[in-house]
Structure formats: structure tokens, C-alpha cells
Amino acid sequence: MGEFQDPSRWIRRFHPAADSGVRLVCLPHAGGSAPFYFPMSRALSPEVDVVSVQYPGRQDRRMDPAIEDIGEYADAIAAEIKPWLDRPVALFGHSMGAVLAFEVTRRLERDLGFVPLAVFASGRRAPSRYRDENVHRRDDDGVVEEMRLLSGTDAQILGDEEILRMVLPAIRSDYTAIENYRAAPGLTVSAPITVLTGDNDPRTSLEEAEAWRGHTTGAFDLHVFSGGHFFLANHQDEILKIVSEALSTSLPGLPGGSASIA
């Protein structure tokens, strides 16, 4: 297929690694944006070509209509990454991004016969584990309260009313999408799934994380870390090692990495 040149509004490639033998597609959390994965991209390059998805309704896509349905999200992302399937691909998603990684993988396998090397599902319960949550129906103060609970947003941003007015619509749309998402217990992918979870995540129990096992017909692995929903911040080296080793197992020519994503 050759190197894809035409830039996409959906794709950010911070450290192009054209000669890499593997590509990692990264999907942010609800309200998140592509630069969340800048440190991971920097750490894995040039062994891994990392691309990060930029959702509509935020940053440079602030004027693009937001999406409020996981199926619509997954359809759009699967279409956007087709040109990037010129080499083996793995997907990494955190929180809402983990569900999107699963649903995009379903579409790649079903529609293209393309089986990713791995799906890394971080900070999210299994697709079949449902909780009745209503953050998307709260007022602005209620949404901010949830953001503080999950400790995923810088306090300076929370204190800036102008910035909040810009980002809250995108956050609310993402929560609408993920909180209305439903998946049947028997829904599976062929790609192996590696789950990463915090032992004190208020939105995912260990049982709910383990339940991802039922959503793959391939290999399954579970890694539990100390911390809450954004446990990644305190375990960057370990997570990077897990990703590198999983990819190097699939591609023996890829060296296992130990760089920091800090």
C-alpha cells in the first residue's frame, strides 16, 4: 500500500516511523484528545509507528460536529485508519478508547478480514458489563465533578471558565456515547486482548476487567496496577514494557522497549 501521505483530520502522527515494522493506533478517553499519547509515541519511536486518533469537537477540531454514538464513532475511525493498514497494527485505548478499540477491531475483522496484532484495553470494564451511569445528563458542575473524581484533568483547566465552556460539549457528547453503549456478552474479536486496570478505579472493578476475557477468541492477559482510573500516570514504564513485549512477541524482529513514556 505504501506510505500514506494525505493527512486526515482524525489522525495525528507525532513521531513518524516510516521504516517501522508495526503500527500502534491509540484512542483517547472520553473528553480526551490525540496529544494524550504524545509521550507514548515519543518513547516507542522509531521501533513502533504510533498514530493517535483526534476525535471531533475538541482542539483543532472544535468546530467539527461531535459524535454521540459508539457505533458511529467506530465506523468513522475504522474508515479513517484503512490507509494505515499497510503493516501489522495493534490498537491501544483508554477508558472510552478501550471500547472504541474493541469496536474498531470488530469492524476491521468483519469488513476487511484484518486481524490486529493486539487490542490493549486500559481503564475500562468489559463491553458486556453495564452500569447505569448518567454523567451526560448532569449539569456542567456535575460533569466537572466527575472529571475531578477520575483525576483526569489538570486543575488549572478546571479553573478556567472559558476553556471549560469550550471542552464541556465534547466531554458531554463522549459521555453520551459511552454511557448509552451496549454490547452482547457473546460479542468477540479474534485479536488477542490485553487488559490494563487500576485496583482502585471507581468505574471498573477487577471482575469487570476480567470479563474482557469473554470478548476474544484469542489470547487474553490482565495486568492490575495500583491506582485509580488514570493509573497510567504512575506506571508509565511498566505499561510501555507490556506494549513493547506484546508487539515483539508478535513480531520477533521488534526489540522489547524499556524507554519511559514520561
Side-chain angles (χ1 to χ4, degrees):
M1 183 179 295
E3 192 63 19
F4 182 55
Q5 300 295 334
D6 185 22
S8 164
R9 294 178 67 78
W10 286 82
I11 301 297
R12 301 294 177 271
R13 195 174 182 220
F14 302 116
H15 305 91
D19 296 329
S20 169
V22 62
R23 179 167 285 133
L24 183 66
V25 177
C26 295
L27 299 136
H29 50 282
S33 57
F36 180 75
Y37 290 107
F38 183 95
M40 180 176 284
S41 172
R42 179 181 57 200
L44 290 175
S45 179
E47 284 79 17
V48 179
D49 188 44
V50 178
V51 298
S52 187
V53 174
Q54 181 77 314
Y55 304 143
R58 66 217 67 200
Q59 293 189 331
D60 57 329
R61 300 195 65 192
R62 191 169 64 253
M63 303 307 294
D64 293 351
I67 294 176
E68 298 186 344
D69 178 78
I70 290 295
E72 183 180 346
Y73 248 138
D75 288 343
I77 294 168
E80 290 292 332
I81 67 173
K82 280 182 184 179
W84 300 92
L85 305 181
D86 59 335
R87 66 196 70 181
V89 168
L91 292 89
F92 187 107
H94 182 71
S95 195
M96 181 183 79
V99 170
L100 283 172
F102 174 75
E103 288 293 340
V104 170
T105 296
R106 284 187 58 225
R107 285 153 174 79
L108 297 181
E109 292 184 353
R110 179 193 67 201
D111 301 337
L112 303 178
F114 184 94
V115 179
L117 291 175
V119 174
F120 299 98
S122 169
R124 180 68 191 183
R125 57 187 176 271
S128 56
R129 290 298 188 267
Y130 171 70
R131 293 189 186 187
D132 186 14
E133 296 172 332
N134 62 359
V135 174
H136 70 282
R137 293 195 295 268
R138 299 181 189 176
D139 60 16
D140 287 355
D141 288 342
V143 175
V144 172
E145 180 183 355
E146 175 72 6
M147 294 159 66
R148 287 201 175 101
L149 171 66
L150 298 182
S151 301
T153 303
D154 187 279
Q156 291 180 341
I157 294 178
L158 287 177
D160 190 316
E161 291 296 328
E162 183 177 357
I163 293 179
L164 268 181
R165 283 195 296 272
M166 290 191 295
V167 301
L168 278 175
I171 295 171
R172 192 182 302 280
S173 294
D174 285 353
Y175 271 105
T176 299
I178 193 60
E179 291 182 342
N180 288 317
Y181 172 75
R182 305 286 185 275
L187 211 58
T188 61
V189 295
S190 299
I193 293 179
T194 295
V195 172
L196 314 171
T197 192
D199 62 3
N200 194 32
D201 188 338
R203 293 294 175 257
T204 304
S205 70
L206 295 183
E207 185 278 331
E208 289 171 324
E210 168 70 28
W212 276 95
R213 184 186 300 271
H215 290 282
T216 177
T217 58
F220 174 81
D221 203 6
L222 173 65
H223 299 269
V224 181
F225 300 89
S226 61
H229 189 66
F230 282 90
F231 62 89
L232 295 83
N234 297 320
H235 300 281
Q236 297 173 345
D237 289 347
E238 300 112 296
I239 292 168
L240 188 66
K241 183 177 180 181
I242 289 168
V243 172
S244 297
E245 290 183 349
L247 296 181
S248 63
T249 299
S250 302
L251 295 173
L254 181 69
S258 59
S260 173
I261 60 175

